[in-house]
C-alpha cells in the first residue's frame, strides 16, 4: 500500500529523514518509535504532503505522491485520517457536532451526516456522550472523539502522531485499544510514539527511527 524508496527530507541543511526505505501493507498496524526529534512526525507529514519530499519517492497504492499536483492533494488527503497529541476539538460544539462539522467540511450532505455520525460515535464507544461538550469529557474521551472525527471521511490510512502523549495510563490504553479495533476493521494504522511501554503492549510490527534513519 505504502512504499518509501530512499526518501530524504531536509530542513535547511540538516536531514530530518535520510534514505528511508519502508513498505507498509494494507491492513497493517505499525508503531513508529523513536526519541523526540527522531523524524516520526516528518515521516507522517510526507505521507500527507504537508511537507515536500526532497529525494526519493513515496508510493501510495502505486501512485507516486512525490510530485503530486496541488489539485490532486485533496484526493490524497481523503485517503488519510490524522490524530495528534494536541486534541483540537471545537470547544463550543458537542461531540456530535464536532464530528458532524468535519463531515460538513468534507462535503457530506446533512442526510448522510445524521446517519453516519451516530455510527462513528458508536464505533469509538461514545454514543452516550454525543451531546456533551469537550470540557465535559476526559482527555481519553476527547481523543476518541478526535479519532471519530478523523474517521468521518472513511480513510484507508490512519496516522496517529503521539495520540497518547497527554494522557494518563488508563486513558492512553483506551485510545490504543480503539486504534487496534479500527485496524481490525480494516484501516491501516501508523502510530508514532516515543513510549516504548505502549509499543511493547501492542505486539505489532515496530519500526525504530533514530536521527532520521530507520535502525530496525
Ligand atoms: P519527532 O516527530 O520524531 O519528534 P520530527 O519529525 O518532528 O521528530 O523532527 C525531526 C527533525 O526535524 C528534528 O531535528 C526537528 O528539529 C526537525 N524539524 C522538524 N520540523 C521542522 C521544521 N518545520 N523546520 C525545521 N526543522 C524541523
Amino acid at each position: 500500500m505504502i512504499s518509501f524508496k530512499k526518501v530524504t527530507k531536509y530542513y535547511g541543511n540538516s536531514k530530518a529523514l535520510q534514505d528511508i526505505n519502508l513498505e507498509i501493507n494494507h491492513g497493517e498496524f505499525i508503531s513508529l518509535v523513536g526519541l523526540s526529534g527522531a523524524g516520526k512526525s516528518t515521516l507522517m507529514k510526507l505521507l500527507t504532503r504537508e511537507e515536500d519530499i526532497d529525494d526519493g519517492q513515496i508510493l501510495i497504492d502505486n501512485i507516486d505522491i512525490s510530485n503530486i499536483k496541488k489539485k490532486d492533494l485533496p484526493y490524497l488527503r481523503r485517503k488519510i485520517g490524522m490524530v495528534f497529541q494536541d486534541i483540537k476539538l471545537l470547544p463550543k460544539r458537542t461531540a456530535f457536532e464536532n464530528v458532524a462539522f468535519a463531515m460538513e467540511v468534507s462535503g457530506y450532505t446533512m442526510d448522510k451526516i445524521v446517519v453516519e455520525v451516530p455510527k462513528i460515535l458508536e464505533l469509538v464507544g461514545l454514543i452516550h456522550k454525543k451531546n456533551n461538550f469537550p470540557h465535559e469529557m476526559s482527555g481519553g474521551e476527547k481523543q476518541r472523539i478526535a479519532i471519530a472525527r478523523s474517521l468521518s471521511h472513511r480513510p484507508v490510512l490512519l496516522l496517529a502522531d503521539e495520540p497518547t502523549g497527554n494522557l494518563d495510563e488508563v486513558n492512553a490504553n483506551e485510545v490504543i485499544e480503539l486504534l487496534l479495533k479500527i485496524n481490525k476493521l480494516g484501516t491501516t494504522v501508523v502510530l508514532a510514539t516515543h513510549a516504548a511501554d505502549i509499543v511493547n503492549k501492542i505486539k505489532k510490527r515496530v519500526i525504530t527511527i533514530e536521527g532520521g534513519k530507520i535502525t530496525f
Side-chain angles (χ1 to χ4, degrees):
M1 177 193 193
I2 302 170
S3 184
F4 284 71
K5 295 181 191 292
K6 292 201 74 167
V7 171
T8 295
K9 169 71 190 168
Y10 292 89
Y11 286 118
N13 289 328
S14 64
K15 289 176 178 167
L17 291 174
Q18 188 174 350
D19 287 334
I20 298 292
N21 290 304
L22 176 64
E23 301 281 332
I24 302 173
N25 294 320
H26 265 293
E28 262 200 286
F29 189 117
I30 293 225
S31 301
L32 211 55
V33 286
L35 300 176
S36 177
K40 306 180 296 295
S41 296
T42 302
L43 192 149
M44 293 190 169
K45 285 178 187 163
L46 296 187
L47 281 170
T48 55
R49 286 303 318 275
E50 193 182 320
E51 291 286 352
D52 289 339
I53 299 160
D54 294 320
D55 261 316
Q57 280 186 323
I58 300 178
L59 307 181
I60 299 185
D61 291 334
N62 291 320
I63 296 167
D64 182 1
I65 66 158
S66 324
N67 304 309
I68 200 167
K69 295 194 182 78
K70 220 174 173 182
K71 71 170 174 53
D72 293 327
L73 275 178
Y75 299 105
L76 169 68
R77 292 183 180 155
R78 221 170 280 164
K79 294 183 183 201
I80 303 174
M82 294 205 70
V83 281
F84 305 93
Q85 173 167 349
D86 184 16
I87 309 162
K88 287 196 180 113
L89 297 179
L90 299 167
K92 292 188 176 142
R93 306 223 184 194
T94 62
F96 186 100
E97 289 165 348
N98 264 279
V99 180
F101 183 71
M103 290 188 74
E104 241 178 285
V105 172
S106 301
Y108 286 89
T109 62
M110 262 312 150
D111 287 358
K112 184 89 176 158
I113 291 171
V114 294
V115 174
E116 288 299 315
V117 175
K119 284 192 205 163
I120 302 168
L121 291 176
E122 195 81 60
L123 171 75
V124 302
L126 288 173
I127 189 70
H128 59 293
K129 296 269 167 155
K130 67 177 182 200
N131 295 323
N132 286 95
F133 290 91
H135 72 267
E136 298 170 320
M137 289 185 260
S138 71
E141 286 170 343
K142 279 188 271 199
Q143 187 61 290
R144 282 152 62 201
I145 295 295
I147 293 171
R149 185 178 56 184
S150 77
L151 294 176
S152 63
H153 60 291
R154 306 248 162 194
V156 288
L157 171 65
L158 181 62
L159 303 177
D161 193 353
E162 301 278 4
T164 61
N166 288 333
L167 303 179
D168 62 25
E169 197 184 340
V170 173
N171 281 296
N173 283 338
E174 280 176 13
V175 165
I176 295 298
E177 285 304 321
L178 176 58
L179 294 178
L180 285 165
K181 176 178 171 186
I182 290 163
N183 173 246
K184 219 170 174 182
L185 293 170
T187 307
T188 306
V189 176
V190 179
L191 165 71
T193 180
H194 64 270
D197 55 329
I198 286 181
V199 167
N200 292 339
K201 269 189 257 172
I202 293 174
K203 298 191 176 20
K204 300 271 186 187
R205 184 170 160 213
V206 178
I207 305 287
T208 306
I209 301 199
E210 285 173 12
K213 292 184 187 168
I214 292 180
T215 50
F216 60 89

